[in-house]
Amino acid sequence: MEPQKVDLFIMTNGKYFESNHLIPIRDRLLEMDDSKWGIIQTLQFKDPTISLIISLLGGSLGIDRFFIGDTGLGIGKLLTCGGLGVWAVVDWFLIMGATREKNMEKLRQVI
Amino acid sequence: MSSTLNRNKLYIILLIACFAGYIWIYYNYAYNLDNFTNGVNTCIIKQVTGIPCPSCGATRSILSLLQNNLAEALYWNPIGIILVIIMIVSPVWIVFDYIQKKDSLYVFYRRFEILFRNKYIAGIAIFLVLANWIWNIQKGL
């Protein structure tokens, strides 16, 4: 793929990924065929900041975990009142990283 | 190392959760036998808003169940029964998987997740949780 397109992707979507993943993503995209550009452009990623806001507001109901697609853990949080409040607080710090990992998983399915 | 949820990570989370649950139940069972009113309140929602959350009352439900009082357990919160089943079944299942070197619980968990992505099943589940929540608020837990 052309470097300009790859850099455009990195610039617009960089905030959705862990910083240590950006270089591998860039290298992988550069190797890839141009025909995949359309699919990659249409991928929708979850914003880590939004998931943090949801975690702060509805964390003890597990809504943050439902939002990023961890349905099972979300149900676990919901049934236990956010893990007796402990898990809910722990997730305030973990949820942004978890969101970025989920985005990476989504991108990996395509590239 | 990737932080995505794999078999071992899920089992560790489940075991920690079950273990914390046992300690919590034991603590409440040993120290708060009188009416369960002076227990420690860990629910963030209840402390902030004064309104009980959908799973408030689960501890009292499990304690009632420990005293063989199923009706009272259902009255406090039906979620308590689900939690008891999970807390009993999952450690046994994990040990079974560990001995047999299988991942049947992990496969079950993934299937369960996919099941709840079905909009009808999710809708029913959301309805039940909301109904339980309204009931909790009415009971004034």
Side-chain angles (χ1 to χ4, degrees):
Chain A
M1 223 180 266
E2 290 161 40
Q4 287 155 315
K5 281 183 177 175
V6 175
D7 285 336
L8 179 69
F9 178 84
I10 297 286
M11 262 157 65
T12 45
N13 296 307
K15 60 180 175 179
Y16 299 130
F17 302 100
E18 297 285 6
S19 50
N20 61 333
H21 282 151
L22 286 178
I23 303 294
I25 290 173
R26 190 170 185 279
D27 293 345
R28 183 76 192 87
L29 285 177
L30 283 172
E31 289 167 14
M32 262 172 54
D33 193 63
D34 239 353
S35 59
K36 289 233 177 152
W37 176 243
I39 305 169
I40 289 168
Q41 274 294 72
T42 54
L43 281 178
Q44 299 255 315
F45 298 110
K46 298 276 198 292
D47 193 332
T49 319
I50 299 286
S51 65
L52 178 62
I53 295 169
I54 295 176
S55 189
L56 290 169
L57 294 175
S60 47
L61 298 178
I63 301 172
D64 48 348
R65 287 286 171 184
F66 289 123
F67 174 70
I68 66 169
D70 272 338
T71 316
L73 293 181
I75 291 171
K77 267 177 99 171
L78 174 66
L79 294 187
T80 58
C81 219
L84 298 172
V86 179
W87 191 358
V89 175
V90 170
D91 256 358
W92 291 349
F93 299 95
L94 296 184
I95 198 72
M96 290 182 86
T99 315
R100 294 195 185 104
E101 283 293 338
K102 282 278 166 185
N103 287 334
M104 189 63 207
E105 239 177 82
K106 200 174 195 178
L107 187 64
R108 267 204 200 103
Q109 287 171 356
V110 181
I111 66 175
Chain B
M1 196 190 90
S2 164
S3 75
T4 46
L5 194 66
N6 53 29
R7 170 185 177 268
N8 289 342
K9 208 171 170 194
L10 173 72
Y11 288 7
I12 289 168
I13 290 174
L14 263 176
L15 284 178
I16 291 172
C18 285
F19 196 63
Y22 294 142
I23 293 172
W24 173 247
I25 295 300
Y26 175 75
Y27 168 77
N28 278 273
Y29 189 70
Y31 295 101
N32 294 304
L33 281 171
D34 54 328
N35 231 357
F36 319 126
T37 45
N38 49 1
V40 184
N41 187 1
T42 56
C43 182
I44 297 175
I45 293 178
K46 201 168 155 184
Q47 278 177 351
V48 172
T49 63
I51 299 168
C53 77
S55 50
C56 275
T59 307
R60 281 162 280 189
S61 167
I62 296 173
L63 291 176
S64 304
L65 206 61
L66 282 175
Q67 292 163 346
N68 290 321
N69 201 337
L70 185 65
E72 204 175 89
L74 282 170
Y75 169 77
W76 281 123
N77 200 331
I79 286 174
I81 314 273
I82 302 171
L83 286 177
V84 165
I85 295 168
I86 295 171
M87 274 167 66
I88 293 171
V89 169
S90 57
V92 176
W93 202 335
I94 289 170
V95 169
F96 174 80
D97 264 4
Y98 185 74
I99 293 169
Q100 302 258 312
K101 292 190 170 58
K102 280 185 186 169
D103 58 355
S104 57
L105 178 58
Y106 181 67
V107 172
F108 176 81
Y109 173 83
R110 285 291 178 209
R111 281 210 195 118
F112 177 82
E113 268 196 331
I114 291 165
L115 189 74
F116 270 82
R117 280 186 201 139
N118 178 311
K119 60 183 174 186
Y120 297 109
I121 291 170
I124 291 168
I126 291 167
F127 173 77
L128 286 175
V129 169
L130 283 179
N132 194 36
W133 196 357
I134 293 166
W135 192 30
N136 269 355
I137 294 169
Q138 268 191 342
K139 282 182 284 192
L141 289 179

